[in-house]
Amino acid sequence: MIPSPAPDGLIGQYNRNAKRTILLIAVSAVGVLIAGLVFSVLGATGTTFGDVLASIRNFFSGAPLDAKQKVILYLRLPRIAMAVFAGAGLSVSGCAMQGITHNPLVSPFTIGISNAAAFGASMAIVFGFGIAARSELGVVLTAFLFAFLCAAVVYGISLHVGMSAESIVLTGIAVNYFFSAATSTIEYFADEHRLAAAVAWAFGSFNGAEWREVAVVSALVSVCFLALLLTAPSLNALSCGNDEVARSIGVNPARVRVIVGACSVLAAAAVISFTGVIGFVGLAGPHIARMLIGADHRYLIPFSAVTGAALTLAADTIGRLILAPVLIPVGIVVSFLGVPIFVNLVLAKRKGAF
């Protein structure tokens, strides 16, 4: 007679750990939403939670909005929403890219899409190249186009040599340097006004975020997030570091890299084409999440979204308030904020705190 497994065995412990992880993700997500509401009342206008609720109520009821409510509804709330979706999208993209390349230093920007987007934006701003030349829409579309063109080049070359993790990283680094040099060349020949606009775009900022932009970014990031979540078991297989192990359990490494890479690039390109370059989140967000809950992508992907959203939301709020009324771009603040947090977690893990 075969004895039944003990309830406190490995399976029971695994289930308890899984429940704790899910609870942590849920609580953290709620915490980010609460933080967003708290940050929406911080600013020079001295708003309260009542003002926020009144502005939302009046908007849906069609009642007239006063000046304070317009500031909340059309300036602060879309900015906060953009920060949440941008951070989530960049962090999830970095998590997925690290999974398919077995490299903890990889992010979507490693394959060059940030510099490619900056090149496209600079072309649109300085030379009026692209769709709807020199308009805000033209800058966004041209940046998005070049980001995807860069990804297509990297994946095309990698596919030609076998779509290995090493080929993606090395080709991406080479293309990254190319677009960096091309962007510097454009900025070298630009006049001072257009140069200032191109450099300001590259800093990364949520200034002037609108609800229609938030709708586009949130839709693309949400679709990519769900697609990446579906690939989580395959990412777990690839994360073993050996493609042969993945193949032995029925996973096609090349196909997974193409699908995951396309979703990662789409999410990151959607964000940076509207916000400019915000580079540190895609690296730090997944690492913070991994240190806290482990490397199982079924939980790591959603928790990376939460940590990335929290990082950009906190950085943007600090950038709004620390030197008010001067607004510091989030791309600058997020590095100052994220680096000490990241280093502290690395040291804590080394000491066995995690």
Side-chain angles (χ1 to χ4, degrees), residues 32 35-36 39 83-84 206 307-321 330 333-334 337 341:
V32 169
F39 294 160
V84 169
F206 302 132
T307 55
L311 192 57
T312 50
L313 186 59
D316 183 57
T317 303
I318 292 173
R320 283 195 299 115
L321 300 178
V330 66
V333 180
V334 76
L337 179 66
I341 294 174

Side-chain angles (χ1 to χ4, degrees), residues 111-133:
I111 65 173
I113 66 171
S114 60
N115 280 327
F119 173 76
S122 298
M123 290 283 285
I125 293 170
V126 175
F127 299 128
F129 173 84
I131 306 168

Side-chain angles (χ1 to χ4, degrees), residues 174-185:
V175 174
N176 196 11
Y177 277 110
F178 170 80
F179 278 111
S180 177
T183 302
S184 298
T185 303

Side-chain angles (χ1 to χ4, degrees), residues 51-105:
D51 295 325
V52 175
L53 296 176
S55 63
I56 296 173
R57 183 178 62 250
N58 290 349
F59 174 78
F60 284 106
S61 66
L65 301 171
D66 60 28
K68 186 182 294 186
Q69 291 172 349
K70 288 180 180 178
V71 168
I72 294 171
L73 196 61
Y74 297 116
L75 293 179
R76 290 191 186 172
L77 290 182
R79 185 187 186 111
I80 288 171
M82 181 66 84
V84 169
F85 283 106
L90 293 174
S91 187
V92 166
S93 297
C95 174
M97 291 298 295
Q98 290 165 15
I100 62 174
T101 59
H102 323 140
N103 191 330
L105 300 179

Side-chain angles (χ1 to χ4, degrees), residues 137-350:
L137 177 62
V139 174
V140 169
L141 292 178
T142 309
F144 188 84
L145 174 65
F146 274 91
F148 250 90
L149 177 62
C150 171
V153 170
V154 170
Y155 270 81
I157 295 174
S158 300
L159 188 62
H160 180 70
V161 298
M163 192 54 77
S164 65
E166 293 80 6
S167 65
I168 294 174
V169 174
L170 292 176
T171 306
I173 291 173
V175 174
N176 196 11
Y177 277 110
F178 170 80
F179 278 111
S180 177
T183 302
S184 298
T185 303
I186 292 174
E187 293 175 349
Y188 182 79
F189 289 103
D191 63 56
E192 60 182 40
H193 298 295
R194 290 172 183 168
L195 174 61
V199 172
W201 186 94
F203 283 155
S205 175
F206 302 132
N207 294 342
E210 300 177 1
W211 283 117
R212 59 183 177 180
E213 298 173 351
V214 173
V216 174
V217 172
S218 62
L220 292 174
V221 168
S222 298
V223 169
C224 294
F225 171 79
L226 292 175
L228 291 173
L229 200 56
L230 292 175
T231 66
S234 298
L235 282 173
N236 285 340
L238 285 181
S239 296
C240 296
N242 191 330
D243 286 359
E244 294 302 322
V245 174
R247 291 190 185 96
S248 68
I249 58 176
V251 174
N252 186 329
R255 179 166 50 189
V256 172
R257 289 192 176 104
V258 169
I259 295 172
V260 171
C263 292
S264 300
V265 169
L266 177 59
V271 171
I272 63 177
S273 59
F274 282 100
T275 66
V277 179
I278 307 174
F280 189 75
V281 180
L283 177 64
H287 277 289
I288 293 171
R290 191 177 292 108
M291 291 174 185
L292 292 174
I293 67 168
D296 189 338
H297 285 83
R298 293 175 298 172
Y299 310 116
L300 182 60
I301 289 175
F303 198 48
S304 294
V306 175
T307 55
L311 192 57
T312 50
L313 186 59
D316 183 57
T317 303
I318 292 173
R320 283 195 299 115
L321 300 178
I322 192 169
L323 293 178
V326 177
L327 300 177
I328 303 177
V330 66
I332 297 174
V333 180
V334 76
S335 294
F336 282 114
L337 179 66
V339 168
I341 294 174
F342 183 58
V343 172
N344 182 64
L345 283 170
V346 171
L347 294 176
K349 185 178 182 181
R350 185 179 180 86

